[in-house]
Amino acid sequence: MAVAKKGRMAVDMTTGSPTKVLIMFALPMIFSNIFQQFYNIVDMLVVGNQIGSNALAAISTSSPISSLFIFTAMGLTTGAGVVISQYFGAKQLANVKTSINTMLTFAFIAGLVLTAVGILLSPIVLRWINTPEEIMDDAVTYLRIYFAGALFLFLYNTLNSSYNALGNSRTPLYFLILSSLLNVVLDLWFVIGLRMGVGGAALATTLAQGVSAILSFINMRKRLREMETDGPVKLFDKGIFKTIMRIAIPNALQQSIISLGMVFIQSSINSFGAAVMAGVSAAGRVDSLSTMPLSNVGNAFGSYAGQNIGAGRIDRVKQGLRSAVLFSIIAGGIMCVILQLLAPQIISMFCDSADPNFAEMVDIGVRYVRVISVFAPVFGIFMVMMSMLRGAGDMKSFLTANFTNFTFRVLMALFVAPIFGPHIIWWATAVGWSLAVIISVAFYRKGDWQKKSVIKKA
């Protein structure tokens, strides 16, 4: 199979030790996401300590709204990754290149539409979720600037999904390191130096993401030219686009429902006041960072499963699944111990000690983190199982498990938390993960996923 140099463009994951292949593929993804989270952490550290809890709350209440639009679009790019990985495993390289070209064309158009819709609807949706008036202006400013960069975010995630489908997790890491450093410099300059407030934090992130997207696009075009094929390559192929959409639309539907659910959950959190909002926001960042290795192993397994299913290597999929689940249990246990011991110190880093709400913010954040960390191994298994079902193209099973998870969480946030308090929200999150794991394992044992390959074998 003629591809660009190993480690630079594509890596065949249908050979070699499944455990070693997964670890080597997942490690750059872990580092990539650390830098991606670094964007948000710098925003919170600078804004939370330089501007105050209201600014932190404005960013917090904006996050699920941006997710509603951004993650819906990103769900489409994940569908492309499934198709690309299966074509690559089947050694159909002309279709690999055509699939990438097709999704880049679609991503550009959809990204522009997403930007316009996001900017237009930002204030309307913020009022809909009961955003307090004292943070409304900051929240609108942050959200509109964030959506101004939606095209870059959409393009980058399309490219990132394509790299990962090809077994190349190193290239996105290099671009993220550069853009993360740029984000830090711009954050400090805009927020502290120029005193641009929340808008400065959003602008710094948007510009840094733009750099990452542009550099990633240039590199992808260069590497695709180096990949030799024995068939014609198209800029856009209707047949392949339909195949991608068979996976992408259900995945985007799942992402949109999850994000819509998070809007409802955020609305419930908002009803408890700015201190609870800020505490949950800080805890959410800590939770995202601490569970990142688990998420990355799950996402890595999706590409691994896609390539091996495309190659007809079901035995390797099962071997890799065992390794990924074992890693999730061990890594999740380590995360749990660390967060149980250090939760107060870590949460305090994201809060201004001079803020009158400091004690309440830290208390809320610590309670959130300590509950969620106990279920970290369950979350890891959840991510692995979801990626396995999606990588196989078994979207019915994938959607059933995910919908059960988030339906439970939303119902608890809307109807139970107002009666018993905000702690119900994070307990519901843990139980939702557990339900999804039970359902996905049942579907795995049934075995229908083995027959769900979305591509035609050459």
Side-chain angles (χ1 to χ4, degrees):
M1 177 176 57
V3 297
K5 293 181 179 179
K6 185 176 179 179
R8 295 185 62 188
M9 181 58 195
V11 177
D12 189 346
M13 293 190 285
T14 63
T15 60
S17 165
T19 300
K20 182 179 179 180
V21 167
L22 277 170
I23 291 175
M24 296 305 295
F25 180 51
L27 281 176
M29 294 179 69
I30 292 172
F31 289 119
S32 292
N33 277 278
I34 288 175
F35 280 98
Q36 198 165 30
Q37 289 293 325
F38 195 43
Y39 285 154
N40 297 326
I41 290 173
V42 169
D43 281 343
M44 294 190 67
L45 287 174
V46 174
V47 174
N49 287 281
Q50 294 294 322
I51 306 178
S53 61
N54 280 351
L56 194 61
I59 295 177
S60 173
T61 201
S62 299
S63 295
I65 299 172
S66 61
S67 297
L68 176 61
F69 294 95
I70 300 296
F71 287 161
T72 298
M74 288 169 56
L76 299 175
T77 70
T78 304
V82 172
V83 175
I84 293 167
S85 65
Q86 290 194 14
Y87 273 133
F88 187 74
K91 310 301 186 286
Q92 299 181 34
L93 298 186
N95 284 335
V96 167
K97 295 175 73 170
T98 297
S99 298
I100 295 173
N101 288 340
T102 297
M103 274 309 296
L104 285 174
T105 302
F106 173 75
F108 183 80
I109 297 171
L112 291 176
V113 173
L114 181 63
T115 296
V117 171
I119 291 175
L120 179 64
L121 296 183
S122 291
I124 298 173
V125 179
L126 282 167
R127 289 190 174 86
W128 177 51
I129 65 168
N130 302 316
T131 301
E133 283 301 321
E134 62 266 26
I135 67 171
M136 177 61 76
D137 289 343
D138 278 345
V140 171
T141 298
Y142 186 89
L143 203 55
R144 280 181 162 168
I145 294 176
Y146 189 87
F147 273 117
L151 171 60
F152 296 128
L153 187 62
F154 201 144
L155 283 174
Y156 173 75
N157 280 278
T158 299
L159 292 161
N160 190 47
S161 180
S162 300
Y163 282 121
N164 288 335
L166 297 174
N168 180 357
S169 56
R170 294 183 181 181
T171 299
L173 169 62
Y174 302 146
F175 296 134
L176 271 173
I177 291 175
L178 175 62
S179 57
S180 295
L181 294 175
L182 177 61
N183 185 76
V184 174
V185 173
L186 293 177
D187 234 334
L188 295 173
W189 182 27
F190 292 161
V191 176
I192 299 177
L194 301 181
R195 299 193 177 279
M196 294 173 62
V198 169
L203 182 60
T205 300
T206 297
L207 292 176
Q209 289 174 341
V211 170
S212 182
I214 292 170
L215 293 178
S216 183
F217 178 80
I218 292 172
N219 183 75
M220 176 62 80
R221 302 309 305 170
K222 179 181 179 181
R223 298 309 178 196
L224 286 179
R225 287 194 295 269
E226 295 174 357
M227 181 182 288
E228 299 177 5
T229 62
D230 54 2
V233 176
K234 301 178 182 179
L235 183 63
F236 186 90
D237 185 278
K238 292 182 180 179
I240 286 180
F241 182 70
K242 290 180 180 178
T243 300
I244 291 173
M245 289 299 110
R246 284 174 51 199
I247 303 298
I249 290 177
N251 193 61
L253 177 63
Q254 176 257 350
Q255 290 281 7
S256 65
I257 289 177
I258 288 174
S259 300
L260 181 60
M262 294 306 295
V263 171
F264 285 119
I265 292 172
Q266 184 65 49
S267 179
S268 177
I269 293 171
N270 290 354
S271 68
F272 293 101
V276 172
M277 292 168 63
V280 171
S281 177
R285 299 301 185 189
V286 174
D287 175 48
S288 296
L289 186 61
S290 63
T291 58
M292 190 183 304
L294 304 174
S295 298
N296 293 139
V297 169
N299 291 331
F301 186 75
S303 297
Y304 170 90
Q307 283 198 20
N308 282 281
I309 288 171
R313 297 295 308 274
I314 300 299
D315 59 320
R316 285 182 57 82
V317 176
K318 294 180 178 180
Q319 293 171 15
L321 181 66
R322 289 192 291 268
S323 297
V325 167
L326 179 60
F327 176 90
S328 297
I329 294 172
I330 295 173
I334 294 172
M335 292 299 175
C336 177
V337 172
I338 293 173
L339 291 178
Q340 291 295 324
L341 294 175
L342 301 178
Q345 293 85 348
I346 297 173
I347 293 295
S348 296
M349 292 173 57
F350 296 92
C351 306
D352 183 2
S353 59
D355 193 294
N357 296 318
F358 176 76
E360 185 178 359
M361 292 160 59
V362 173
D363 178 64
I364 289 292
V366 169
R367 284 193 283 166
Y368 178 112
V369 166
R370 282 181 169 163
V371 169
I372 291 296
S373 65
V374 173
F375 289 83
V378 176
F379 172 76
I381 298 172
F382 163 68
M383 290 299 298
V384 170
M385 296 305 299
M386 292 302 98
S387 293
M388 191 280 297
L389 293 172
R390 185 174 56 208
D394 188 357
M395 300 308 294
K396 180 179 179 180
S397 301
F398 172 81
L399 290 173
T400 300
N402 268 294
F403 285 172
T404 301
N405 171 25
F406 278 91
T407 298
F408 178 81
R409 291 174 60 180
V410 170
L411 291 177
M412 294 295 284
L414 291 180
F415 300 110
V416 182
I419 300 173
F420 294 98
H423 65 281
I424 294 296
I425 295 172
W426 41 91
W427 274 107
T429 299
V431 175
W433 293 341
S434 302
L435 291 173
V437 167
I438 293 171
I439 292 171
S440 61
V441 169
F443 280 124
Y444 172 77
R445 293 177 65 85
K446 186 178 179 183
D448 289 349
W449 60 273
Q450 300 179 36
K451 310 169 186 176
K452 298 292 183 177
S453 178
V454 298
I455 67 168
K456 294 181 180 180
K457 298 299 192 314

